[in-house]
Amino acid sequence: MEYELVMGLETHIELSTNTKIFCSCTTEFGGEPNTHCCPICIGLPGTMPKLNREVVKYAIMVGLATNCDIAEIAKMDRKNYVYPDLPKAYQISEYDMPICEHGHIELSNGRKIGLTRIHIEEDAGKLIHDRGQTFIDYNRGGVPLIEIVSEPDFRSVEEAIEYLERLQLIVKYIGVSDCKMQEGSMRCDVNVSVRPVGVKEFGIRTEIKNMNSFTNISRAVKYEMQRQIDLIENGEKVVQETRRFDDVLGVTESMRGKEDAHDYRYFREPDLVTIKTTKEEINAIKDSLPELPDKRLARYIKDYGLSEVDARLIVKYKRVADFFELSTKGLKSYKSCSNLILSLIFSKLDSDSEKEEFNIKVTAEDMNELLNLLESGKITNNIAKRALEDMLNTGKNVKDILSDDDLKGLDENELKSICDQAVKSNPLAVKDYLAGKEKAVKALIGFVMKTTKGRADARTAEKFIIDMIKK
C-alpha cells in the first residue's frame, strides 16, 4: 500500500527586542548563566509582568507579511505545566484570542500553506545536562517568542523545508529576528502522520520537539514517516505522543504522551490587560514594512534583467540585496554588479552566515563609483575586477586604487597595434586556430591583456585578432 505524509509545523521565533517580554532584562544571547534574569522573569511571588509594546508590534509585522488577519482585540493566557525550565509553573501565552490568524505562505509550486495562527508567548529557561546532572540557565526565560502554527498542509519534506526557508527570509527582511537556528532563535515542533493515498481522514500524529536545523528536520520526518508506516503494516497502532530526535542515531524516541489543550488548564492571565490595536495602528505598521523578498525577487528578474538563479542568490541575504540596491543606483545595467558580487565578493565569504553578515571593506558608494567607471567605458571589466579585489583586501576607495593609466584606456589604433604583435608573436596559436581549435585565440588575447596590464577590452581585442588571422 502507498502512504502519504501529512505534516504541520509549529515554528517558534525569538523576537529581537532589546528587553524581554514582561521585564527590562536584556535579550542578548549568551552571557554567564542566570545573569540576564530578574524576579519577574523567574516568576518570584509578588512580581507583576508588564507587556513589552514592541513585542505586539513585531508580531503584527510578521502577521501582515504572511497574509494574516490581525485581531484588534487579543489577550494573554496562562498555560499551566510543571517543568524545571519554567519556575512559576505556567507560561504566559495566547490561547483562544491570538494576535494573528488565517494567513498563508505560497510555495514555488503554487501551493499555499495555511497558517492557523501566530501568537505571542514567553520563552522558557534552558536545561543543561552534564555528566548525569542537570543545570538550569534562566537567561532565556522571558525572551519574547512568536509561535507560527501551520495547517497540516505539507505533503513532502521538501515543501516543509521550502516553507521554513521562506518564513525565515521574511522574518529576517522585516527585521524582527535573526532566526539563527544554531542559537535557538528559530526552532520547530514537527507534527507527523501518515495515511493511505486517497484517504481523506488524518492518521494519528506524533510531535517531534525542538528541531533546530533543516537537515535534522528532514532526517527526523523521513524516519518518523517510515516508523509509522512499519507500525501500520505490522498491524500495530500509532500512538499520539511527543518524541525527540536523536541526531547521532538518526531516530526519534518517545518522550511523553501528547498533551491536549485541556491538559494545560488555560485561563486568562489576570495580571495583564487586554491587547487593543486600532485599524489605524495596523495600517501604519503595514505601511512601514520593507519590500518583501518575493516582490524584490520578481523586480530583479523583470526590471533588472537578472536570471532567476542570480536574483535568488542576491535576495537570499538581505544585506547583500541592500548593498546591491545602493551599488546599482543610477546605472543602466545591473548585470555587472551582480556578476562581481556573486563571483568575486562571494569568493571571500565561505559560509552562509558570513554572507548573511556581509562584513566587507567596500562601501556601496565605492562600489557604485567603480561600476559607473565600468559602465561609462573608462575602465575595462578586468581592471574593475582587479580594483575590486584590492578594495576588498585593503579597504581603500576607488580613487586610491586606480592609476591614471587605468583610467586613460586604449585608443583603437593602439589596441590594433598590440593585437598585431600578438598574432605575429604566436604563430603556433594562429596555426591551431586556423586548424579549427577556436580556444587557441585565448592565448593571443592573454598576450594582449598582459601587454596592456588589463587595460584592453577583451571582447574588442578578440574581434581584432580574429579579423587579422582571417585576412
Side-chain angles (χ1 to χ4, degrees), residues 118-354:
I118 300 175
H119 62 261
I120 300 164
E121 62 187 22
E122 60 180 332
D123 209 344
K126 183 179 182 181
L127 299 184
I128 301 163
H129 306 284
D130 184 26
R131 291 173 289 185
Q133 292 184 304
T134 298
F135 302 90
I136 306 173
D137 180 6
Y138 288 123
N139 280 353
R140 197 176 68 182
V143 169
L145 290 176
I146 52 172
E147 181 175 344
I148 303 168
V149 182
S150 84
E151 294 287 336
D153 288 346
F154 301 102
R155 296 296 174 265
S156 70
V157 173
E158 291 73 25
E159 285 185 343
I161 299 304
E162 183 186 348
Y163 162 88
L164 288 171
E165 289 175 341
R166 285 176 178 251
L167 177 60
Q168 185 182 56
L169 193 59
I170 288 168
V171 173
K172 286 180 178 179
Y173 258 68
I174 61 179
V176 303
S177 176
D178 58 22
C179 290
K180 292 180 178 178
M181 298 188 80
Q182 70 275 17
E183 294 182 3
S185 57
M186 179 177 176
R187 52 193 191 271
C188 294
D189 298 337
V190 185
N191 292 287
V192 178
S193 67
V194 297
R195 64 184 177 187
V197 172
V199 173
K200 292 185 178 180
E201 292 78 15
F202 292 151
I204 302 296
R205 65 186 172 90
T206 60
E207 181 181 33
I208 311 170
K209 295 289 285 187
N210 292 324
M211 304 298 298
N212 63 356
S213 82
F214 295 154
T215 300
N216 280 343
I217 289 171
S218 179
R219 293 173 64 204
V221 171
K222 288 176 181 177
Y223 173 86
E224 182 61 19
M225 182 182 179
Q226 190 58 52
R227 187 189 73 86
Q228 293 185 19
I229 291 172
D230 290 343
L231 286 173
I232 296 168
E233 289 288 313
N234 289 319
E236 299 179 55
K237 290 185 177 181
V238 177
V239 177
Q240 183 175 333
E241 62 182 344
T242 299
R243 300 179 69 87
R244 74 176 191 90
F245 179 65
D246 186 321
D247 61 353
V248 176
L249 299 177
V251 301
T252 64
E253 301 172 333
S254 180
M255 292 174 63
R256 59 182 181 270
K258 180 68 179 85
E259 301 93 343
D260 288 314
H262 64 266
D263 295 317
Y264 292 118
R265 304 187 339 272
Y266 280 100
F267 64 86
R268 179 167 182 159
E269 168 56 62
D271 293 333
L272 291 167
V273 298
T274 299
I275 302 169
K276 183 177 180 180
T277 312
T278 66
K279 288 181 179 179
E280 290 74 19
E281 288 172 319
I282 294 169
N283 288 333
I285 294 171
K286 187 175 184 178
D287 291 341
S288 73
L289 289 177
E291 183 181 39
L292 295 177
D294 278 355
K295 287 188 177 180
R296 182 172 268 190
L297 176 69
R299 180 163 59 87
Y300 285 1
I301 295 170
K302 181 180 178 182
D303 298 342
Y304 288 9
L306 301 187
S307 70
E308 184 175 347
V309 172
D310 288 356
R312 284 192 182 280
L313 285 171
I314 291 174
V315 171
K316 182 178 179 181
Y317 310 99
K318 185 176 185 298
R319 291 184 180 178
V320 175
D322 291 342
F323 178 86
F324 175 76
E325 291 275 335
L326 293 172
S327 297
T328 55
K329 194 172 182 179
L331 296 178
K332 295 177 181 177
S333 173
Y334 304 89
K335 189 64 178 173
S336 294
C337 184
S338 68
N339 286 344
L340 289 172
I341 289 174
L342 297 177
S343 58
L344 194 52
I345 296 180
F346 273 19
S347 70
K348 307 279 186 184
L349 306 170
D350 294 329
S351 64
D352 267 2
S353 59
E354 286 179 323

Side-chain angles (χ1 to χ4, degrees), residues 37-49 87-90 138 271:
C37 46
C38 71
I40 294 175
C41 55
I42 62 174
L44 292 185
T47 56
M48 291 287 287
K88 57 181 181 277
Y90 63 85
Y138 288 123
D271 293 333

Side-chain angles (χ1 to χ4, degrees), residues 11-172:
T11 308
H12 298 81
I13 294 176
E14 288 185 352
L15 301 178
S16 299
T17 54
N18 292 325
T19 57
K20 292 186 179 181
I21 187 168
F22 300 124
C23 67
S24 59
C25 291
T26 179
T27 57
E28 184 180 358
F29 178 75
E32 290 297 314
N34 299 308
T35 57
H36 295 172
C37 46
C38 71
I40 294 175
C41 55
I42 62 174
L44 292 185
T47 56
M48 291 287 287
K50 184 178 180 181
L51 181 58
N52 185 336
R53 186 183 185 91
E54 201 77 350
V55 172
V56 178
K57 178 185 175 183
Y58 281 10
I60 292 172
M61 289 172 70
V62 177
L64 290 169
T66 54
N67 310 291
C68 287
D69 298 329
I70 310 301
E72 293 183 45
I73 301 293
K75 66 178 177 68
M76 306 301 297
D77 300 278
R78 288 189 183 183
K79 179 181 180 180
N80 295 272
Y81 67 93
V82 177
Y83 204 67
D85 61 5
L86 201 63
K88 57 181 181 277
Y90 63 85
Q91 179 190 34
I92 302 178
S93 181
E94 289 183 308
Y95 176 45
D96 58 334
M97 295 175 65
I99 193 74
C100 310
E101 291 184 287
H102 312 309
H104 70 266
I105 289 178
E106 187 170 349
L107 304 181
S108 58
N109 62 11
R111 292 193 66 227
K112 291 182 179 179
I113 302 300
L115 303 183
T116 309
R117 57 191 278 146
I118 300 175
H119 62 261
I120 300 164
E121 62 187 22
E122 60 180 332
D123 209 344
K126 183 179 182 181
L127 299 184
I128 301 163
H129 306 284
D130 184 26
R131 291 173 289 185
Q133 292 184 304
T134 298
F135 302 90
I136 306 173
D137 180 6
Y138 288 123
N139 280 353
R140 197 176 68 182
V143 169
L145 290 176
I146 52 172
E147 181 175 344
I148 303 168
V149 182
S150 84
E151 294 287 336
D153 288 346
F154 301 102
R155 296 296 174 265
S156 70
V157 173
E158 291 73 25
E159 285 185 343
I161 299 304
E162 183 186 348
Y163 162 88
L164 288 171
E165 289 175 341
R166 285 176 178 251
L167 177 60
Q168 185 182 56
L169 193 59
I170 288 168
V171 173
K172 286 180 178 179

